[in-house]
Amino acid sequence: MYPKLVVDLKKLQGNLDAVAEITKDRGGCSLMIVTKGLCADPEMAGLVARDPKVDYMADSRVKNLASYADMARANGKKTVLLRIPMHDEVEGVIQYADISFNSELSTIRLLNEEAGRAGKVHDIVLMIDLGDLREGIFFRNEDLIREAVEEILQMEHINLYGIAVNLTCYGAIIPKYDNLSQLVEIARKIEEKYDIRLQMVSGGNSSSIYLIDKGELPEGINNLRLGEAFLLGNDTAYETDLPGTVGDTVTLQAQIVELKEKPSLPIGEVGVDAFGQKPYYEDRGIMKRAIIAVGKQDTDLDSMTPTDPQIEIMGGSSDHTILDVTHCDRDYKVGDVVTFELGYGGMLKVATSPYVEREYVRG
Ligand SMILES: *Cc1c(COP(=O)(O)O)cnc(C)c1O
């Protein structure tokens, strides 16, 4: 059935081998694989869980962690919640995450209480914001960092596992030797002042991996958290392909439901489209237009590329996508299937849509 997300497990394994070699063998870091980009797809999660090179399995959603926590733990991996937890979800966090990333003392207090009730000690990683301005205690507020660390160290059921930074997500700030060195410096200060050892100093996501082969990952960063680098083979700092990886691990297939020759300019007064946008049209004369049965409810039209380079995506609405097939050598027919490579946003939406079927390539 279409639309269909085709997940190539062999290619994913190849990407995992490649990022593990860079991160662990060449970078000396532990490897945290982030599963949210593919909504913790169970086959992908199984592949990650079984791989001895992976140290941690992480996601931003408790629900995704819940789906594979048993399997991850049975294979010796710790589960990690990446998004700062809601007060509302502390019970699930304690149950399914061995480690959670945090920046709010009020939440950490609730985690402490819940861990106590569950008879556990919960590991937390304190997020430090080095300027990207998403989550974390701002690095210049040393008083706030000290205050948080001191209270956490008093908590009976919380262990301060480490500190971490996230970059290139909101402010699009690129990780460099200089800003990551500040994270290491903060870690060393905490360790000296309180005479403790932080197990994790996590230097970022897929935008940090490029630093390893440049020899610019600061000594002391001992973990990277990789989602897109693993799933799509991307270094997200400079948008290059990581050596040894491929970008077509997942593809979207959709079926043509209508194929007609029509003008390129709509007829009548132009209002707004289904999403309240005023469309822009270019007069290209009579066109051969194919409609495929997939739309903005299932995918991101700006984050998918037809594997037939002669196809152009014209636009779409919730359930329809219109393709210009005028210049295609292939003589498309109704019922034919069109394949797209996906970017991160497209992959995320396609994997989230309950209307898209899934198929696995096992090689
Ligand atoms: C999503 C996320 C990651 C993984 O990001 P990629 O760019 O896919 O590698 C890492 N850390 C945090 C905190 C995240 O939210």
Side-chain angles (χ1 to χ4, degrees), residues 30-217:
S30 62
L31 178 60
M32 189 185 298
I33 289 293
V34 178
T35 53
K36 67 192 184 197
L38 211 46
C39 290
D41 173 273
E43 295 286 330
M44 177 272 290
L47 177 153
V48 174
R50 285 188 301 272
D51 195 312
K53 297 184 288 297
V54 178
D55 302 295
Y56 305 89
M57 288 179 70
D59 206 287
S60 49
R61 314 262 172 172
V62 173
K63 200 169 174 177
N64 286 349
L65 291 182
S67 74
Y68 62 65
D70 287 347
M71 179 173 63
R73 288 165 175 164
N75 284 280
K77 273 94 174 125
K78 284 184 190 271
T79 57
V80 182
L81 181 68
L82 295 172
R83 185 171 65 187
I84 307 302
M86 293 179 258
H87 281 190
D88 194 45
E89 65 185 352
V90 292
E91 203 180 327
V93 177
I94 296 301
Q95 192 173 354
Y96 298 115
D98 300 317
I99 303 170
S100 62
F101 282 21
N102 283 274
S103 62
E104 291 290 350
L105 270 172
S106 68
T107 309
I108 300 168
R109 286 180 201 126
L110 293 178
L111 290 169
N112 184 41
E113 287 168 21
E114 181 60 33
R117 274 193 288 276
K120 290 183 180 174
V121 172
H122 181 72
D123 288 327
I124 70 155
V125 168
L126 194 62
M127 293 304 280
I128 308 292
D129 184 348
L130 295 179
D132 196 58
L133 306 183
R134 202 177 76 176
E135 74 273 44
I137 304 176
F138 196 57
F139 71 110
R140 291 201 179 113
N141 296 142
E142 289 179 32
D143 290 351
L144 288 180
I145 297 174
R146 185 164 14 88
E147 200 182 306
V149 169
E150 285 180 4
E151 185 168 337
I152 291 163
L153 291 177
Q154 299 302 316
M155 292 182 183
E156 210 177 327
H157 305 286
I158 297 289
N159 172 46
L160 182 61
Y161 193 79
I163 64 173
V165 64
N166 196 58
L167 292 162
T168 341
C169 269
Y170 173 74
I173 298 304
I174 291 181
K176 301 260 184 180
Y177 181 85
D178 286 350
N179 49 18
L180 292 187
S181 295
Q182 290 172 314
L183 188 74
V184 176
E185 201 177 302
I186 292 168
R188 294 296 99 92
K189 274 191 191 156
I190 293 172
E191 290 182 329
E192 272 169 36
K193 183 152 196 231
Y194 302 102
D195 194 22
I196 54 171
R197 177 103 198 102
L198 295 175
Q199 290 190 60
M200 179 178 283
V201 183
S202 184
N205 54 43
S206 298
S207 64
S208 293
I209 189 170
Y210 83 99
L211 288 167
I212 292 173
D213 281 345
K214 281 185 83 180
E216 291 175 9
L217 189 74

Side-chain angles (χ1 to χ4, degrees), residues 323-338:
L323 309 176
D324 180 357
V325 296
T326 315
H327 305 290
C328 294
D329 293 333
R330 182 171 160 192
D331 184 21
Y332 285 99
K333 303 250 182 331
V334 172
D336 282 353
V337 171
V338 183

